Amino acid sequence: MLTKENILTLLEEVKDPEIPVLSLVDLGVITGVEVSKDDHVTVNMTPTFAGCPAMDYMKKDVERTLEKHGITNYKVNMTFDKPWDSNKLSEKGRKQLKEFGLAPPPKYDLILDLDILEHVKCPYCDSDNTDMRTPFGPTLCRSMHYCNNCKQMFEQFKPL
Amino acid sequence: MNEQAIKDLLYKLADDQLILGHRNSEWTGFGPILEEDIAFSSMAQDKIGHSLAFYTLLQELGEAEPDTVAFTRNANQFHNSHLVELPNGEYDFSLIRHFLYDNAEIIRFEMLSQSSYEPIAKVATKLKGEVKYHVLHANTWIKNLGSSTEEAILRLQSSLNEAMPYALAMFEKSNYEQELIDAGVYAGEEAVKAEWLKRIQAVIEKTDLKLPDLTTIEPKFGGRYGEHTEHLQPLLDEMAEVFKIDPTAEW
């Protein structure tokens, strides 16, 4: 018999296509899994940013992974019911982001001000002596910063 | 709730985002500095994503699918404000438009996140977080450039004067205005406009720019009712060029 936990474990295999160390579960875009009595699986997903071009790809990846494990009776929905915010990233996900070289977003009260954006800890040397160069990076979910300590540009997974 | 009223509101929101998204994308490869090139390109991607979210709600209400709605209508079927369809002009004009538009849009999304119409409330709750970055970007540049060199201030002032009649028409009321307010869908255009004035004034006060005397300005109405400037149809033709080669293509 399938359980919600089984499915979440399977979905750990599905990684963010741009950040291959980070699973969709740890990213927080899997917002719900339900298994009905007759083993019908419903997975709800939500985009990080509404214009994220990778969402279709991620959805198909979830479907492929379910099928690979012999689950054919499923439905994957993309919904804004529980909208994504950066607090939904798991602790494990934050650690993986940092190891990948991306500063994780701070946990915050969802009121965005300049301080949150400007004082980002460098993922390479942990210095706070950094400047934001632009809130718009190579993808919608990343901003660009410069570390005055180790003299490197780095990217942050944006708080949202 | 009158479905037509909801559709009218959704078209207005979606079309504004789609058209300004397209205009922003025209900066890709042409930005005055690399960071601005990337910023306008990113905002373009966000806005087109936002239009998709609203067109998807329209599809759920029985309208055609998002690509069809976005790429096969003619100018007279679009409900965007004239402000978003105007050509980019010089960077100062694009920046001023971005400032005036996004400060209004975030208020709309904030109000709509409280909407009694749940599907809109959910989408608006999501999008208001993203638009914060757009507003932050616009306000930062207006503050920096609006109190910098004489040329920057003159150019921005001239663009502000030029854009204002179009900006005021963002708040053109729909035929369903009172109905939407009574049903708690949102607080209405007058309320959005009043809050918008407060917020843009607060930024402009920190610069050497002057808000034009709004009582003497005639807003350029018509966009919400399908009457557009000569600039919209050529933009739509270009936007739909690839789609129209083979509308049934699988991507």
Side-chain angles (χ1 to χ4, degrees):
Chain A
M1 204 186 80
L2 288 170
T3 65
K4 181 180 166 184
E5 285 66 33
N6 296 149
I7 304 295
L8 282 169
T9 308
L10 298 182
L11 293 180
E12 284 274 342
E13 285 174 28
V14 192
K15 308 293 183 194
D16 181 306
E18 299 263 5
I19 311 168
V21 296
L22 184 62
S23 80
L24 297 195
V25 176
D26 286 313
L27 178 58
V29 302
I30 305 287
T31 54
V33 171
E34 283 164 35
V35 183
S36 73
K37 283 205 178 93
D38 59 349
D39 274 359
H40 179 84
V41 175
T42 308
V43 177
N44 288 326
M45 299 178 65
T46 196
T48 50
F49 281 71
C52 175
M55 284 320 289
D56 258 1
Y57 182 89
M58 291 189 199
K59 185 175 176 222
K60 289 203 181 87
D61 225 8
V62 167
E63 292 169 348
R64 268 198 299 270
T65 304
L66 292 174
E67 281 177 15
K68 198 177 87 186
H69 290 279
I71 298 163
T72 49
N73 190 11
Y74 65 82
K75 176 114 178 68
V76 181
N77 302 313
M78 194 64 80
T79 142
F80 289 102
D81 282 1
K82 293 178 189 160
W84 187 86
D85 60 63
S86 52
N87 288 346
K88 291 191 167 59
L89 268 156
S90 73
E91 280 311 317
K92 189 168 130 219
R94 284 165 201 276
K95 204 163 151 266
Q96 287 166 331
L97 276 178
K98 186 166 184 278
E99 282 162 8
F100 189 67
L102 282 171
K107 290 242 180 185
Y108 77 122
D109 59 5
L110 302 182
I111 297 169
L112 192 68
D113 61 33
L114 272 173
D115 278 356
I116 290 174
L117 297 171
E118 276 175 357
H119 301 294
V120 174
K121 196 176 256 209
C122 171
Y124 302 120
C125 73
D126 287 334
S127 164
D128 287 321
N129 183 16
T130 67
D131 296 319
M132 184 177 73
R133 287 293 161 88
T134 165
F136 299 102
T139 68
L140 291 181
C141 50
R142 305 188 200 177
S143 52
M144 300 182 69
H145 305 257
Y146 183 74
C147 177
N148 298 311
N149 189 30
C150 70
K151 315 284 182 206
Q152 288 202 76
M153 285 293 289
F154 67 91
E155 292 170 23
Q156 185 200 27
F157 203 100
K158 278 200 268 206
L160 185 76
Chain B
M1 184 66 227
N2 176 351
E3 205 169 273
Q4 208 48 47
I6 295 285
K7 283 186 185 175
D8 190 72
L9 177 65
L10 284 169
Y11 268 115
K12 196 157 91 167
L13 293 161
D15 290 348
D16 264 4
Q17 295 284 317
L18 179 71
I19 300 302
L20 188 55
H22 190 75
R23 283 297 185 213
N24 284 350
S25 78
E26 291 173 354
W27 278 110
T28 305
F30 295 96
I33 53 171
L34 181 61
E35 282 85 350
E36 282 309 275
D37 194 311
I38 296 169
F40 272 86
S41 304
S42 288
M43 290 189 289
Q45 201 182 334
D46 273 337
K47 288 195 187 308
I48 289 167
H50 298 172
S51 73
L52 174 62
F54 290 119
Y55 289 134
T56 303
L57 293 187
L58 279 162
Q59 188 182 13
E60 286 162 13
L61 291 175
E63 297 294 282
E65 63 175 47
D67 280 350
T68 306
V69 171
F71 296 129
T72 63
R73 284 177 300 155
N74 287 316
N76 60 8
Q77 295 165 292
F78 270 77
H79 302 265
N80 59 279
S81 58
H82 291 179
L83 180 69
V84 299
E85 73 199 40
L86 296 174
N88 280 342
E90 301 278 339
Y91 178 72
D92 48 66
F93 182 78
S94 279
L95 180 60
I96 283 285
R97 165 165 60 189
H98 162 39
F99 168 67
L100 296 174
Y101 176 81
D102 282 293
N103 270 290
E105 203 63 6
I106 196 163
I107 297 163
R108 252 179 240 286
F109 290 167
E110 284 165 2
M111 286 183 178
L112 288 168
S113 70
Q114 308 294 321
S115 179
S116 61
Y117 185 70
E118 208 182 344
I120 290 188
K122 283 178 185 166
V123 169
T125 301
K126 169 64 186 159
L127 304 189
K128 72 178 180 175
E130 299 184 12
V131 175
K132 272 184 201 167
Y133 279 103
H134 301 201
V135 172
L136 184 71
H137 175 262
N139 291 359
T140 304
W141 278 105
I142 293 290
K143 281 183 216 161
N144 287 345
L145 292 175
S147 48
S148 61
T149 65
E150 194 182 345
E151 185 188 356
I153 295 160
L154 274 175
R155 275 172 170 254
L156 285 173
Q157 186 66 57
S158 149
S159 285
L160 183 60
N161 299 346
E162 186 191 336
M164 198 48 87
Y166 298 96
L168 290 174
M170 286 190 288
F171 311 104
E172 182 174 16
K173 288 178 190 166
S174 86
N175 287 330
Y176 309 98
E177 190 72 9
Q178 200 52 48
E179 214 169 313
L180 290 168
I181 296 169
D182 292 344
V185 175
Y186 81 134
E189 295 301 327
E190 281 300 329
V192 181
K193 184 178 160 191
E195 179 62 24
W196 171 79
L197 274 174
K198 262 198 269 176
R199 294 198 199 176
I200 61 163
Q201 183 72 48
V203 176
I204 286 176
E205 273 169 9
K206 292 182 182 150
T207 68
D208 295 321
L209 303 171
K210 298 259 175 312
L211 202 63
D213 177 5
L214 301 183
T215 57
T216 63
I217 297 175
E218 189 68 32
K220 304 267 191 188
F221 287 133
R224 303 304 189 191
Y225 293 86
E227 296 153 21
H228 290 280
T229 69
E230 65 196 13
H231 306 294
L232 183 59
Q233 191 59 50
L235 181 151
L236 294 175
D237 292 342
E238 186 188 272
M239 201 174 76
E241 201 178 334
V242 175
F243 181 84
K244 283 183 177 163
I245 292 171
D246 182 1
T248 60
E250 291 274 345
W251 294 85

